[in-house]
Amino acid sequence: KHPSLKSGTLLVETISVVDCPAEKSLMVDKYLPPRIIRHVIAPTLANVASKLPYEPMTEYLMKIPSDTFKQVLESQIDGIKNMLTTARELAIEDLSVMKAAAIQNMDQQLQQEIQRLTSLQAVNSNIRNDEIAFLQNLHSRLGEVINVAGVRLDAIRIIVAA
């Protein structure tokens, strides 16, 4: 029993993690750190996570015979699959926004540094071409790595309000 849920409501809560595997030397976490993406999907396929903040919910647990719970889940399996698909699609959309922001931030910072070193090189012979080439290579590799980042489903919680 939860005070903000109607009896009989079935929700699927998913926790996904932004996953961007890369060499430590690239420091990709500076631009795209591992983040948690949470969605709570209602049977209407709407995300109601903003209306139902994360909480352990152990105080709301009720003892239900496992056979009864199994019957409820089996009767709703198609709906649960649809809700999981929706949660996955929303997580991918969230990731796209995060990746675009990460690439924009990375591009701005590295291009600014490349431009600074290039300008400085014109008046200071101590600035080597390989320093600039390193940053250009870093920029290219970070862009590639961030573009292939994905989301990993970390947890699923089925909530059935009684």
Side-chain angles (χ1 to χ4, degrees):
K1 291 194 177 252
H2 190 280
S4 65
L5 296 176
K6 292 180 186 176
S7 183
T9 302
L10 182 129
L11 301 171
V12 173
E13 178 181 38
T14 61
I15 305 290
S16 300
V17 178
V18 174
D19 190 26
C20 188
E23 303 168 30
K24 287 189 181 228
S25 62
L26 290 178
M27 298 180 293
V28 72
D29 289 355
K30 180 178 178 180
Y31 305 104
L32 187 63
R35 292 185 186 157
I36 292 177
I37 300 172
R38 176 180 172 265
H39 293 104
V40 179
I41 308 299
T44 61
L45 303 182
N47 183 15
V48 296
S50 61
K51 297 176 186 169
L52 189 69
Y54 178 79
E55 58 182 303
M57 292 195 188
T58 51
E59 65 187 82
Y60 305 114
L61 289 179
M62 294 178 56
K63 296 233 183 230
I64 299 174
S66 59
D67 290 342
T68 304
F69 190 68
K70 185 178 177 182
Q71 288 175 351
V72 169
L73 287 180
E74 286 176 354
S75 70
Q76 299 297 319
I77 194 69
D78 290 336
I80 292 170
K81 286 179 181 178
N82 289 338
M83 289 187 263
L84 285 170
T85 299
T86 298
R88 173 82 177 152
E89 291 167 355
L90 290 173
I92 290 170
E93 287 176 21
D94 291 347
L95 175 64
S96 294
V97 171
M98 290 177 198
K99 286 175 15 177
I103 287 176
Q104 181 180 13
N105 185 22
M106 179 269 302
D107 188 55
Q108 179 184 0
Q109 287 183 19
L110 289 179
Q111 289 294 1
Q112 185 177 9
E113 184 62 12
I114 291 167
Q115 182 61 39
R116 186 186 74 80
L117 285 178
T118 304
S119 298
L120 193 56
Q121 187 181 40
V123 294
N124 184 346
S125 60
N126 290 328
I127 305 298
R128 300 182 318 267
N129 286 334
D130 61 333
E131 292 176 270
I132 297 169
F134 171 80
L135 288 176
Q136 290 169 332
N137 184 39
L138 179 64
H139 180 270
S140 173
R141 291 177 60 208
L142 276 170
E144 292 169 4
V145 168
I146 291 171
N147 276 323
V148 298
V151 288
R152 181 184 73 238
L153 182 62
D154 206 44
I156 300 171
R157 179 165 60 170
I158 307 293
I159 303 167
V160 180

